[in-house]
Amino acid sequence: MALLDLNNLSRHFGGVKAVEQVSLAVAQSSIHGLIGPNGSGKTTLFNCLTGVYRPTSGQVMFSGRRIDGAAPHIVCGYGIARTFQNLRLFAGMTVLENVLVGRHRHLKVNLFNAVIGGVSVQQEHNSAVHKALELLAFCGLTAKADYIASSLPYGLQRRLEIARALATEPKLLLLDEPAAGMNPAEADDLKILVHRIRERGITVFIIEHNVRLVMGLCERVSVMDAGRLIADDTPDDIARNPAVIEAYLGKGNE
C-alpha cells in the first residue's frame, strides 16, 4: 500500500524543467531511495512534497489526501517531516532546545495559559522535555543534551536534525543527503539508525549520493536524471539498469 503517491509531478522555473512528469509511489513502512546525478531534481522534488515549492502541475497524495500546494506547516501537520541537504539547526541553541522546537506542533496550551503559567503549562513542558530526551537517547545524543548545537561534530549535527524531525511524530520522514560529510563508520551507524526509525513504524524516503549506502539500505530505489524519473525498481535491478549506468557514467564511445 502506498503512503505517498506522486502523479505526473512537475516543477518548472521559467524554461527550466527541474522536475518533469514524475510518477512514483512510496510504500507504507518502507525505506525508499532516490538517487541521481547532481542537478537531477531530487531536492526540488522533496521541496514540492513539503510545501517549499508549489508544483507547476501534477498531484501529491499522502495517506489518501491530496497535499500538493499546501504550506510547509500544514504538510508537517499531516505527518511529513524532513531534514535538509544543508544543515538548518538553530546553531546557538542547545541540542535539547533544538529537539523541543520539533515538539511545538504538539503543544496544546492556549496563549492565556502560556502567559499566566500554571500547572497545565508545566505539565506540557515536562512532557515535551521527556519526549525530547527519549529522542536524544534514540539518536545517541543523550550526553550532548546541554551542548550548543553548533559545537557538535558534523556527523552528530546530522543526527540532531533527524531527532528534531522525529519530534514532530511523522508518518513519513524525508532525509536529504543525511550521509553527506560522514566518514564510512558514521555512514554505517546512520544505516542502523534508519532501520531503527523504520522499526518505529515510520516510512523513510531518502536522497543520497552514497549509492553503496542506498543499495544496502533501501527496498526500492528511484532514479532521476535531468528532472525525469528514469528508473524505479529494486536495488539489484537498478544496479544493472543501462539507463542508470549511462546517467552516472555517460555514454561510452562506440
Side-chain angles (χ1 to χ4, degrees):
M1 175 182 175
L3 177 66
L4 179 71
D5 202 351
L6 312 185
N7 183 21
N8 293 322
L9 191 70
S10 297
R11 171 64 194 193
H12 300 167
F13 298 94
V16 177
K17 297 179 179 180
V19 174
E20 178 66 3
Q21 298 288 301
V22 171
S23 296
L24 63 85
V26 176
Q28 179 86 41
S29 301
S30 70
I31 303 174
H32 192 119
L34 180 62
I35 63 174
N38 287 331
S40 59
K42 303 182 299 296
T43 295
T44 300
L45 183 75
F46 268 24
N47 286 339
C48 290
L49 303 185
T50 54
V52 177
Y53 296 148
R54 180 182 291 272
T56 302
S57 61
Q59 294 183 352
V60 179
M61 301 294 296
F62 177 69
S63 287
R65 180 200 303 266
R66 186 171 177 179
I67 67 168
D68 47 277
H73 70 282
I74 300 296
V75 173
C76 181
Y78 290 151
I80 298 178
R82 72 173 295 182
T83 65
F84 292 86
Q85 185 174 0
N86 299 312
L87 285 168
R88 297 191 184 181
L89 295 172
F90 297 101
M93 295 169 62
T94 69
V95 167
L96 177 60
E97 288 168 342
N98 266 271
V99 180
L100 285 171
V101 170
R103 295 298 302 163
H104 180 267
R105 83 175 188 90
H106 295 287
L107 299 181
K108 297 179 175 61
V109 295
N110 58 35
L111 179 61
F112 176 75
N113 287 334
V115 171
I116 68 171
V119 175
S120 63
V121 174
Q122 189 60 48
Q123 288 175 336
E124 284 260 271
H125 175 73
N126 291 344
S127 176
V129 170
H130 177 78
K131 180 64 177 179
L133 289 173
E134 186 271 324
L135 287 170
L136 289 181
F138 179 77
C139 292
L141 294 169
T142 297
K144 308 295 185 182
D146 295 326
Y147 282 54
I148 297 299
S150 61
S151 72
L152 295 182
Y154 189 79
L156 293 186
Q157 289 190 42
R158 286 281 180 189
R159 281 180 170 259
L160 175 55
E161 196 172 36
I162 292 172
R164 187 179 63 186
L166 291 174
T168 68
E169 298 184 10
K171 300 175 186 175
L172 174 65
L173 177 63
L174 308 181
L175 300 177
D176 193 350
E177 299 284 0
M182 289 186 175
N183 61 42
E186 289 172 330
D188 287 341
D189 287 344
L190 173 67
K191 181 177 175 180
I192 294 170
L193 177 60
V194 172
H195 276 297
R196 293 178 62 220
I197 290 170
R198 195 262 294 278
E199 289 171 0
R200 294 170 74 109
I202 299 169
T203 303
V204 180
F205 192 15
I206 179 172
I207 293 173
E208 186 50 64
H209 274 297
N210 185 335
V211 176
R212 175 178 170 272
L213 185 148
V214 169
M215 294 303 185
L217 178 65
C218 301
E219 291 98 3
R220 195 164 188 88
V221 179
S222 301
V223 187
M224 291 183 67
D225 185 34
R228 291 186 175 273
L229 188 71
I230 61 170
D232 181 43
D233 216 324
T234 64
D236 286 345
D237 286 336
I238 289 294
R240 295 190 294 263
N241 188 305
V244 175
I245 295 169
E246 182 180 328
Y248 273 97
L249 302 180
K251 182 176 290 187
N253 294 325
E254 297 179 354

